[in-house]
Amino acid sequence: MASLKEVRNRIISVNSTQQITKAMKMVAAAKLRRAQDNILQMRPYAQKLGQMLSTVSAGSESSVDSPLKTVRFAEKILIVVVTSDRGLCGAFNTNIIKATMALIEEKYSVQAAKGHVEIFAIGKKGAEAFNRRGFTVNTTYTDLFTRLKFVNVKEAAEKIMKDFSEGRYDVVDLVYNEFKNVATQIIHTDPYLPIVADTATQKVKAPEVNYIFEPNEEEILAELIPKSLKIMLYRAVLESNASEQGARMTAMDKATENAQELLKELKLIYNRTRQAAITTEILEIVGGAEALKGA
């Protein structure tokens, strides 16, 4: 049985850890509120923009050309993986990495065997994981969450679009967590480029609308397609940010509860150890007294 000092030190240690997890839960809750507000404001705009692009693009495929709509044989693949910069958020990052590996194994195993699958990492945890697995990883934009603004995400989207237009990649997919609630995140593996109707709407069916184009259809599409892709990536990053804070809040809440249970067990052990020590001392005193009587 552990000594009283050892048990007491463990109680102090667990108590300190519990205070840290409580503080981290409160911080995550505050960040979650802001992140949730941002994504709830972004979703209607992103969905409507996607619907507009889907309708306009579907009706103009024969007349309007864009390098972002070019369908090529899928030889060189880029997967945009959105994870977090820090851990302590449960299985948040692990699930994204597993989903990405499953996507590669199911759809791009041939390209991966040739070394033609690259990772565009948004979030340091994803970059570290795929570097360990031997993939070529673009880490230029791993710190977007430290400066989460549209202008910074727009730069990343422009980089992806430029590489696709120049033929560096034939297909671009996007893997991220969609925020549902504090305890639930939904993993999405969406096609990003080349742009098609499903990509534009993110699987939201667009109503049939006859638009009047001013100045003309070509100029509107030339502006609308890149803007929609930038918004799509920005939305994915905002969704992931809210999901991360929700996952961290849940993980820290569970850690706090576990620490509380451990404290109860340690205090029980401490009391039992203390009682056993007192009993031993009493027996020694009684034994000594009996020995003196016998003398």
Side-chain angles (χ1 to χ4, degrees):
M1 184 176 291
S3 67
L4 282 173
K5 183 177 180 181
E6 291 173 344
V7 177
R8 189 161 51 243
N9 288 338
R10 286 196 64 191
I11 290 173
I12 294 171
S13 176
V14 172
N15 194 43
S16 299
T17 301
Q18 187 185 44
Q19 291 177 0
I20 293 171
T21 56
K22 278 184 180 179
M24 292 185 69
K25 176 187 173 183
M26 293 175 63
V27 171
K31 290 183 178 180
L32 174 61
R33 183 179 295 276
R34 293 194 297 269
Q36 191 173 358
D37 290 342
N38 290 336
I39 192 57
L40 290 178
Q41 292 172 13
M42 171 57 65
R43 280 176 181 168
Y45 176 74
Q47 290 173 355
K48 187 61 180 178
L49 184 63
Q51 290 175 359
M52 289 176 58
L53 178 59
S54 177
T55 303
V56 175
S57 181
S60 61
E61 288 180 352
S62 59
S63 59
V64 179
D65 188 26
S66 169
L68 300 176
K69 296 168 64 179
T70 304
V71 178
R72 298 187 288 265
F73 179 73
E75 180 65 24
K76 294 168 288 185
I77 312 300
L78 179 69
I79 301 178
V80 183
V81 182
V82 187
T83 58
S84 68
D85 288 334
R86 298 183 295 118
L88 297 176
C89 48
F92 175 82
N93 293 310
T94 302
N95 290 338
I96 282 290
I97 293 164
K98 286 181 178 178
T100 305
M101 292 303 300
L103 175 67
I104 294 171
E105 291 171 3
E106 292 171 8
K107 290 182 64 177
Y108 306 123
S109 58
V110 175
Q111 295 89 333
K114 297 177 181 178
H116 292 170
V117 175
E118 295 187 18
I119 303 297
F120 190 98
I122 297 178
K124 295 178 181 178
K125 290 299 179 180
E128 293 170 357
F130 286 101
N131 270 321
R132 288 195 301 268
R133 286 166 171 78
F135 288 92
T136 301
V137 181
N138 185 328
T139 59
T140 307
Y141 297 94
T142 53
D143 60 343
L144 283 179
F145 291 105
T146 61
R147 45 192 180 91
L148 186 50
K149 297 180 181 178
F150 175 71
V151 64
N152 298 321
V153 178
K154 181 183 75 170
E155 292 178 8
E158 289 172 347
K159 166 67 175 169
I160 296 168
M161 288 187 284
K162 180 175 181 293
D163 289 343
F164 179 84
S165 300
E166 293 175 353
R168 182 174 177 182
Y169 306 111
D170 302 312
V171 174
V172 181
D173 283 352
L174 179 60
V175 185
Y176 66 98
N177 271 303
E178 180 186 14
F179 177 78
K180 184 176 181 181
N181 54 49
V182 174
T184 307
Q185 299 85 38
I186 303 171
I187 296 177
H188 281 261
T189 55
D190 295 337
Y192 190 68
L193 287 169
I195 190 165
V196 293
D198 287 344
T199 306
T201 61
Q202 293 180 295
K203 301 179 181 179
V204 176
K205 187 176 180 181
E208 294 183 3
V209 180
N210 292 323
Y211 291 105
I212 298 174
F213 300 100
E214 180 64 37
N216 58 65
E217 191 174 354
E218 289 77 9
E219 290 185 28
I220 290 174
L221 271 177
E223 178 72 21
L224 193 59
I225 290 175
K227 185 172 184 178
S228 176
L229 290 169
K230 294 171 187 175
I231 292 297
M232 184 178 176
L233 183 60
Y234 185 50
R235 176 186 174 180
V237 174
L238 289 180
E239 294 274 9
S240 183
N241 184 44
S243 298
E244 176 194 348
Q245 302 308 329
R248 180 169 290 110
M249 181 179 170
T250 302
M252 292 301 100
D253 182 54
K254 293 296 182 184
T256 302
E257 291 179 2
N258 292 339
Q260 185 62 36
E261 292 297 321
L262 185 55
L263 279 173
K264 289 181 181 178
E265 293 179 9
L266 287 173
K267 287 177 181 178
L268 184 60
I269 293 171
Y270 178 82
N271 290 333
R272 286 176 178 172
T273 305
R274 184 168 176 269
Q275 185 178 12
I278 294 170
T279 302
T280 301
E281 290 177 3
I282 292 173
L283 290 173
E284 289 176 352
I285 293 171
V286 171
E290 291 295 329
L292 288 174
K293 287 180 182 179

PDB file of all heavy atoms in Angstrom, residues 53 56-70 195 213 216-226:
ATOM      1  N   LEU A  53     -24.404  29.725 -58.162  1.00  0.00           N
ATOM      2  CA  LEU A  53     -23.353  29.226 -59.040  1.00  0.00           C
ATOM      3  C   LEU A  53     -23.791  27.947 -59.732  1.00  0.00           C
ATOM      4  O   LEU A  53     -23.527  27.738 -60.920  1.00  0.00           O
ATOM      5  CB  LEU A  53     -22.073  28.987 -58.242  1.00  0.00           C
ATOM      6  CG  LEU A  53     -20.904  28.410 -59.038  1.00  0.00           C
ATOM      7  CD1 LEU A  53     -20.517  29.330 -60.183  1.00  0.00           C
ATOM      8  CD2 LEU A  53     -19.706  28.162 -58.135  1.00  0.00           C
ATOM      9  N   VAL A  56     -26.375  28.883 -62.524  1.00  0.00           N
ATOM     10  CA  VAL A  56     -25.760  29.603 -63.640  1.00  0.00           C
ATOM     11  C   VAL A  56     -24.783  28.705 -64.383  1.00  0.00           C
ATOM     12  O   VAL A  56     -24.759  28.638 -65.608  1.00  0.00           O
ATOM     13  CB  VAL A  56     -25.054  30.876 -63.135  1.00  0.00           C
ATOM     14  CG1 VAL A  56     -24.314  31.559 -64.265  1.00  0.00           C
ATOM     15  CG2 VAL A  56     -26.070  31.820 -62.515  1.00  0.00           C
ATOM     16  N   SER A  57     -23.971  27.962 -63.629  1.00  0.00           N
ATOM     17  CA  SER A  57     -22.951  27.114 -64.237  1.00  0.00           C
ATOM     18  C   SER A  57     -23.574  25.979 -65.040  1.00  0.00           C
ATOM     19  O   SER A  57     -23.134  25.649 -66.127  1.00  0.00           O
ATOM     20  CB  SER A  57     -22.034  26.546 -63.150  1.00  0.00           C
ATOM     21  OG  SER A  57     -21.038  25.739 -63.716  1.00  0.00           O
ATOM     22  N   ALA A  58     -24.630  25.362 -64.491  1.00  0.00           N
ATOM     23  CA  ALA A  58     -25.267  24.236 -65.175  1.00  0.00           C
ATOM     24  C   ALA A  58     -25.897  24.666 -66.492  1.00  0.00           C
ATOM     25  O   ALA A  58     -25.910  23.912 -67.466  1.00  0.00           O
ATOM     26  CB  ALA A  58     -26.326  23.605 -64.275  1.00  0.00           C
ATOM     27  N   GLY A  59     -26.379  25.892 -66.534  1.00  0.00           N
ATOM     28  CA  GLY A  59     -27.033  26.360 -67.751  1.00  0.00           C
ATOM     29  C   GLY A  59     -26.095  26.976 -68.753  1.00  0.00           C
ATOM     30  O   GLY A  59     -26.526  27.395 -69.831  1.00  0.00           O
ATOM     31  N   SER A  60     -24.788  27.028 -68.448  1.00  0.00           N
ATOM     32  CA  SER A  60     -23.863  27.721 -69.353  1.00  0.00           C
ATOM     33  C   SER A  60     -22.618  26.894 -69.647  1.00  0.00           C
ATOM     34  O   SER A  60     -21.613  27.426 -70.074  1.00  0.00           O
ATOM     35  CB  SER A  60     -23.440  29.050 -68.728  1.00  0.00           C
ATOM     36  OG  SER A  60     -22.786  28.818 -67.503  1.00  0.00           O
ATOM     37  N   GLU A  61     -22.682  25.601 -69.428  1.00  0.00           N
ATOM     38  CA  GLU A  61     -21.494  24.766 -69.624  1.00  0.00           C
ATOM     39  C   GLU A  61     -20.982  24.802 -71.060  1.00  0.00           C
ATOM     40  O   GLU A  61     -19.793  24.701 -71.310  1.00  0.00           O
ATOM     41  CB  GLU A  61     -21.805  23.327 -69.209  1.00  0.00           C
ATOM     42  CG  GLU A  61     -21.929  23.160 -67.698  1.00  0.00           C
ATOM     43  CD  GLU A  61     -22.245  21.727 -67.318  1.00  0.00           C
ATOM     44  OE1 GLU A  61     -22.514  20.922 -68.236  1.00  0.00           O
ATOM     45  OE2 GLU A  61     -22.241  21.422 -66.113  1.00  0.00           O
ATOM     46  N   SER A  62     -21.898  24.934 -72.012  1.00  0.00           N
ATOM     47  CA  SER A  62     -21.485  24.897 -73.410  1.00  0.00           C
ATOM     48  C   SER A  62     -20.937  26.219 -73.899  1.00  0.00           C
ATOM     49  O   SER A  62     -20.182  26.273 -74.855  1.00  0.00           O
ATOM     50  CB  SER A  62     -22.680  24.494 -74.290  1.00  0.00           C
ATOM     51  OG  SER A  62     -23.744  25.420 -74.110  1.00  0.00           O
ATOM     52  N   SER A  63     -21.295  27.316 -73.231  1.00  0.00           N
ATOM     53  CA  SER A  63     -20.911  28.631 -73.741  1.00  0.00           C
ATOM     54  C   SER A  63     -19.826  29.317 -72.924  1.00  0.00           C
ATOM     55  O   SER A  63     -19.105  30.154 -73.436  1.00  0.00           O
ATOM     56  CB  SER A  63     -22.148  29.545 -73.797  1.00  0.00           C
ATOM     57  OG  SER A  63     -22.707  29.680 -72.502  1.00  0.00           O
ATOM     58  N   VAL A  64     -19.716  28.999 -71.660  1.00  0.00           N
ATOM     59  CA  VAL A  64     -18.758  29.675 -70.794  1.00  0.00           C
ATOM     60  C   VAL A  64     -17.697  28.678 -70.345  1.00  0.00           C
ATOM     61  O   VAL A  64     -18.019  27.636 -69.802  1.00  0.00           O
ATOM     62  CB  VAL A  64     -19.462  30.291 -69.572  1.00  0.00           C
ATOM     63  CG1 VAL A  64     -18.443  30.973 -68.671  1.00  0.00           C
ATOM     64  CG2 VAL A  64     -20.520  31.282 -70.020  1.00  0.00           C
ATOM     65  N   ASP A  65     -16.455  29.021 -70.577  1.00  0.00           N
ATOM     66  CA  ASP A  65     -15.361  28.132 -70.213  1.00  0.00           C
ATOM     67  C   ASP A  65     -14.574  28.751 -69.066  1.00  0.00           C
ATOM     68  O   ASP A  65     -14.433  29.957 -68.967  1.00  0.00           O
ATOM     69  CB  ASP A  65     -14.446  27.898 -71.420  1.00  0.00           C
ATOM     70  CG  ASP A  65     -13.421  26.821 -71.134  1.00  0.00           C
ATOM     71  OD1 ASP A  65     -13.712  25.967 -70.279  1.00  0.00           O
ATOM     72  OD2 ASP A  65     -12.335  26.846 -71.740  1.00  0.00           O
ATOM     73  N   SER A  66     -14.088  27.890 -68.183  1.00  0.00           N
ATOM     74  CA  SER A  66     -13.253  28.327 -67.060  1.00  0.00           C
ATOM     75  C   SER A  66     -12.251  27.232 -66.755  1.00  0.00           C
ATOM     76  O   SER A  66     -12.619  26.053 -66.760  1.00  0.00           O
ATOM     77  CB  SER A  66     -14.117  28.610 -65.827  1.00  0.00           C
ATOM     78  OG  SER A  66     -13.299  28.795 -64.685  1.00  0.00           O
ATOM     79  N   PRO A  67     -10.991  27.587 -66.499  1.00  0.00           N
ATOM     80  CA  PRO A  67     -10.004  26.552 -66.158  1.00  0.00           C
ATOM     81  C   PRO A  67     -10.364  25.809 -64.877  1.00  0.00           C
ATOM     82  O   PRO A  67      -9.919  24.680 -64.673  1.00  0.00           O
ATOM     83  CB  PRO A  67      -8.707  27.351 -65.987  1.00  0.00           C
ATOM     84  CG  PRO A  67      -9.135  28.760 -65.759  1.00  0.00           C
ATOM     85  CD  PRO A  67     -10.401  28.929 -66.534  1.00  0.00           C
ATOM     86  N   LEU A  68     -11.191  26.421 -64.033  1.00  0.00           N
ATOM     87  CA  LEU A  68     -11.591  25.783 -62.786  1.00  0.00           C
ATOM     88  C   LEU A  68     -12.685  24.736 -63.000  1.00  0.00           C
ATOM     89  O   LEU A  68     -13.003  23.978 -62.082  1.00  0.00           O
ATOM     90  CB  LEU A  68     -12.078  26.831 -61.784  1.00  0.00           C
ATOM     91  CG  LEU A  68     -11.045  27.890 -61.397  1.00  0.00           C
ATOM     92  CD1 LEU A  68     -11.669  28.934 -60.484  1.00  0.00           C
ATOM     93  CD2 LEU A  68      -9.836  27.255 -60.717  1.00  0.00           C
ATOM     94  N   LYS A  69     -13.248  24.677 -64.216  1.00  0.00           N
ATOM     95  CA  LYS A  69     -14.259  23.671 -64.549  1.00  0.00           C
ATOM     96  C   LYS A  69     -13.685  22.553 -65.412  1.00  0.00           C
ATOM     97  O   LYS A  69     -14.421  21.638 -65.789  1.00  0.00           O
ATOM     98  CB  LYS A  69     -15.420  24.336 -65.284  1.00  0.00           C
ATOM     99  CG  LYS A  69     -16.183  25.342 -64.449  1.00  0.00           C
ATOM    100  CD  LYS A  69     -17.131  26.176 -65.291  1.00  0.00           C
ATOM    101  CE  LYS A  69     -18.207  25.337 -65.916  1.00  0.00           C
ATOM    102  NZ  LYS A  69     -19.142  26.151 -66.723  1.00  0.00           N
ATOM    103  N   THR A  70     -12.397  22.627 -65.695  1.00  0.00           N
ATOM    104  CA  THR A  70     -11.769  21.645 -66.582  1.00  0.00           C
ATOM    105  C   THR A  70     -11.660  20.283 -65.902  1.00  0.00           C
ATOM    106  O   THR A  70     -11.048  20.152 -64.845  1.00  0.00           O
ATOM    107  CB  THR A  70     -10.368  22.116 -66.997  1.00  0.00           C
ATOM    108  OG1 THR A  70     -10.467  23.407 -67.601  1.00  0.00           O
ATOM    109  CG2 THR A  70      -9.741  21.140 -67.992  1.00  0.00           C
ATOM    110  N   ILE A 195     -14.779  22.336 -60.526  1.00  0.00           N
ATOM    111  CA  ILE A 195     -16.062  22.735 -59.984  1.00  0.00           C
ATOM    112  C   ILE A 195     -17.190  22.152 -60.839  1.00  0.00           C
ATOM    113  O   ILE A 195     -17.166  22.206 -62.066  1.00  0.00           O
ATOM    114  CB  ILE A 195     -16.170  24.271 -59.892  1.00  0.00           C
ATOM    115  CG1 ILE A 195     -17.415  24.642 -59.094  1.00  0.00           C
ATOM    116  CG2 ILE A 195     -16.168  24.934 -61.266  1.00  0.00           C
ATOM    117  CD1 ILE A 195     -17.440  26.079 -58.646  1.00  0.00           C
ATOM    118  N   PHE A 213     -28.686  38.501 -66.733  1.00  0.00           N
ATOM    119  CA  PHE A 213     -27.270  38.771 -66.539  1.00  0.00           C
ATOM    120  C   PHE A 213     -26.926  40.196 -66.964  1.00  0.00           C
ATOM    121  O   PHE A 213     -27.273  40.633 -68.061  1.00  0.00           O
ATOM    122  CB  PHE A 213     -26.423  37.780 -67.347  1.00  0.00           C
ATOM    123  CG  PHE A 213     -26.648  36.347 -66.953  1.00  0.00           C
ATOM    124  CD1 PHE A 213     -27.473  35.528 -67.698  1.00  0.00           C
ATOM    125  CD2 PHE A 213     -26.056  35.837 -65.820  1.00  0.00           C
ATOM    126  CE1 PHE A 213     -27.693  34.219 -67.333  1.00  0.00           C
ATOM    127  CE2 PHE A 213     -26.265  34.528 -65.437  1.00  0.00           C
ATOM    128  CZ  PHE A 213     -27.088  33.713 -66.199  1.00  0.00           C
ATOM    129  N   ASN A 216     -22.818  40.643 -68.461  1.00  0.00           N
ATOM    130  CA  ASN A 216     -23.029  39.461 -69.296  1.00  0.00           C
ATOM    131  C   ASN A 216     -22.684  38.218 -68.486  1.00  0.00           C
ATOM    132  O   ASN A 216     -22.047  38.284 -67.430  1.00  0.00           O
ATOM    133  CB  ASN A 216     -22.208  39.517 -70.598  1.00  0.00           C
ATOM    134  CG  ASN A 216     -20.725  39.655 -70.330  1.00  0.00           C
ATOM    135  OD1 ASN A 216     -20.091  38.761 -69.758  1.00  0.00           O
ATOM    136  ND2 ASN A 216     -20.157  40.798 -70.724  1.00  0.00           N
ATOM    137  N   GLU A 217     -23.094  37.062 -69.029  1.00  0.00           N
ATOM    138  CA  GLU A 217     -22.945  35.802 -68.313  1.00  0.00           C
ATOM    139  C   GLU A 217     -21.485  35.440 -68.068  1.00  0.00           C
ATOM    140  O   GLU A 217     -21.117  34.941 -67.000  1.00  0.00           O
ATOM    141  CB  GLU A 217     -23.628  34.700 -69.126  1.00  0.00           C
ATOM    142  CG  GLU A 217     -23.780  33.387 -68.395  1.00  0.00           C
ATOM    143  CD  GLU A 217     -24.597  32.401 -69.214  1.00  0.00           C
ATOM    144  OE1 GLU A 217     -25.120  32.794 -70.272  1.00  0.00           O
ATOM    145  OE2 GLU A 217     -24.698  31.242 -68.779  1.00  0.00           O
ATOM    146  N   GLU A 218     -20.616  35.696 -69.068  1.00  0.00           N
ATOM    147  CA  GLU A 218     -19.210  35.318 -68.959  1.00  0.00           C
ATOM    148  C   GLU A 218     -18.513  36.066 -67.830  1.00  0.00           C
ATOM    149  O   GLU A 218     -17.780  35.480 -67.025  1.00  0.00           O
ATOM    150  CB  GLU A 218     -18.488  35.581 -70.289  1.00  0.00           C
ATOM    151  CG  GLU A 218     -18.860  34.632 -71.418  1.00  0.00           C
ATOM    152  CD  GLU A 218     -20.208  34.967 -72.046  1.00  0.00           C
ATOM    153  OE1 GLU A 218     -20.768  36.042 -71.706  1.00  0.00           O
ATOM    154  OE2 GLU A 218     -20.708  34.163 -72.848  1.00  0.00           O
ATOM    155  N   GLU A 219     -18.748  37.359 -67.749  1.00  0.00           N
ATOM    156  CA  GLU A 219     -18.087  38.159 -66.707  1.00  0.00           C
ATOM    157  C   GLU A 219     -18.593  37.786 -65.311  1.00  0.00           C
ATOM    158  O   GLU A 219     -17.825  37.752 -64.352  1.00  0.00           O
ATOM    159  CB  GLU A 219     -18.325  39.650 -66.972  1.00  0.00           C
ATOM    160  CG  GLU A 219     -17.588  40.186 -68.184  1.00  0.00           C
ATOM    161  CD  GLU A 219     -17.756  41.684 -68.328  1.00  0.00           C
ATOM    162  OE1 GLU A 219     -17.951  42.361 -67.288  1.00  0.00           O
ATOM    163  OE2 GLU A 219     -17.697  42.178 -69.467  1.00  0.00           O
ATOM    164  N   ILE A 220     -19.876  37.516 -65.209  1.00  0.00           N
ATOM    165  CA  ILE A 220     -20.437  37.144 -63.904  1.00  0.00           C
ATOM    166  C   ILE A 220     -19.866  35.815 -63.433  1.00  0.00           C
ATOM    167  O   ILE A 220     -19.466  35.658 -62.271  1.00  0.00           O
ATOM    168  CB  ILE A 220     -21.972  37.085 -63.983  1.00  0.00           C
ATOM    169  CG1 ILE A 220     -22.530  38.493 -64.138  1.00  0.00           C
ATOM    170  CG2 ILE A 220     -22.556  36.423 -62.730  1.00  0.00           C
ATOM    171  CD1 ILE A 220     -24.014  38.550 -64.376  1.00  0.00           C
ATOM    172  N   LEU A 221     -19.799  34.822 -64.338  1.00  0.00           N
ATOM    173  CA  LEU A 221     -19.241  33.532 -63.964  1.00  0.00           C
ATOM    174  C   LEU A 221     -17.764  33.639 -63.620  1.00  0.00           C
ATOM    175  O   LEU A 221     -17.276  32.970 -62.707  1.00  0.00           O
ATOM    176  CB  LEU A 221     -19.444  32.523 -65.096  1.00  0.00           C
ATOM    177  CG  LEU A 221     -20.760  31.742 -65.055  1.00  0.00           C
ATOM    178  CD1 LEU A 221     -20.869  30.831 -66.262  1.00  0.00           C
ATOM    179  CD2 LEU A 221     -20.872  30.929 -63.781  1.00  0.00           C
ATOM    180  N   ALA A 222     -17.032  34.468 -64.356  1.00  0.00           N
ATOM    181  CA  ALA A 222     -15.605  34.645 -64.087  1.00  0.00           C
ATOM    182  C   ALA A 222     -15.383  35.185 -62.682  1.00  0.00           C
ATOM    183  O   ALA A 222     -14.367  34.884 -62.037  1.00  0.00           O
ATOM    184  CB  ALA A 222     -14.992  35.589 -65.117  1.00  0.00           C
ATOM    185  N   GLU A 223     -16.339  35.960 -62.171  1.00  0.00           N
ATOM    186  CA  GLU A 223     -16.244  36.502 -60.816  1.00  0.00           C
ATOM    187  C   GLU A 223     -16.854  35.552 -59.785  1.00  0.00           C
ATOM    188  O   GLU A 223     -16.333  35.385 -58.673  1.00  0.00           O
ATOM    189  CB  GLU A 223     -16.979  37.854 -60.758  1.00  0.00           C
ATOM    190  CG  GLU A 223     -16.989  38.503 -59.386  1.00  0.00           C
ATOM    191  CD  GLU A 223     -15.648  39.051 -58.971  1.00  0.00           C
ATOM    192  OE1 GLU A 223     -14.802  39.287 -59.864  1.00  0.00           O
ATOM    193  OE2 GLU A 223     -15.432  39.234 -57.758  1.00  0.00           O
ATOM    194  N   LEU A 224     -17.950  34.899 -60.179  1.00  0.00           N
ATOM    195  CA  LEU A 224     -18.715  34.088 -59.238  1.00  0.00           C
ATOM    196  C   LEU A 224     -18.005  32.789 -58.868  1.00  0.00           C
ATOM    197  O   LEU A 224     -18.024  32.371 -57.702  1.00  0.00           O
ATOM    198  CB  LEU A 224     -20.087  33.775 -59.833  1.00  0.00           C
ATOM    199  CG  LEU A 224     -21.145  33.206 -58.879  1.00  0.00           C
ATOM    200  CD1 LEU A 224     -21.416  34.174 -57.736  1.00  0.00           C
ATOM    201  CD2 LEU A 224     -22.429  32.897 -59.638  1.00  0.00           C
ATOM    202  N   ILE A 225     -17.360  32.130 -59.846  1.00  0.00           N
ATOM    203  CA  ILE A 225     -16.729  30.828 -59.574  1.00  0.00           C
ATOM    204  C   ILE A 225     -15.604  30.951 -58.551  1.00  0.00           C
ATOM    205  O   ILE A 225     -15.610  30.231 -57.538  1.00  0.00           O
ATOM    206  CB  ILE A 225     -16.234  30.182 -60.888  1.00  0.00           C
ATOM    207  CG1 ILE A 225     -17.432  29.746 -61.725  1.00  0.00           C
ATOM    208  CG2 ILE A 225     -15.338  28.985 -60.593  1.00  0.00           C
ATOM    209  CD1 ILE A 225     -17.061  29.207 -63.090  1.00  0.00           C
ATOM    210  N   PRO A 226     -14.610  31.841 -58.736  1.00  0.00           N
ATOM    211  CA  PRO A 226     -13.555  31.955 -57.709  1.00  0.00           C
ATOM    212  C   PRO A 226     -14.090  32.398 -56.351  1.00  0.00           C
ATOM    213  O   PRO A 226     -13.637  31.906 -55.311  1.00  0.00           O
ATOM    214  CB  PRO A 226     -12.598  33.009 -58.294  1.00  0.00           C
ATOM    215  CG  PRO A 226     -12.891  33.022 -59.749  1.00  0.00           C
ATOM    216  CD  PRO A 226     -14.342  32.719 -59.884  1.00  0.00           C
TER     217      PRO A 226
END
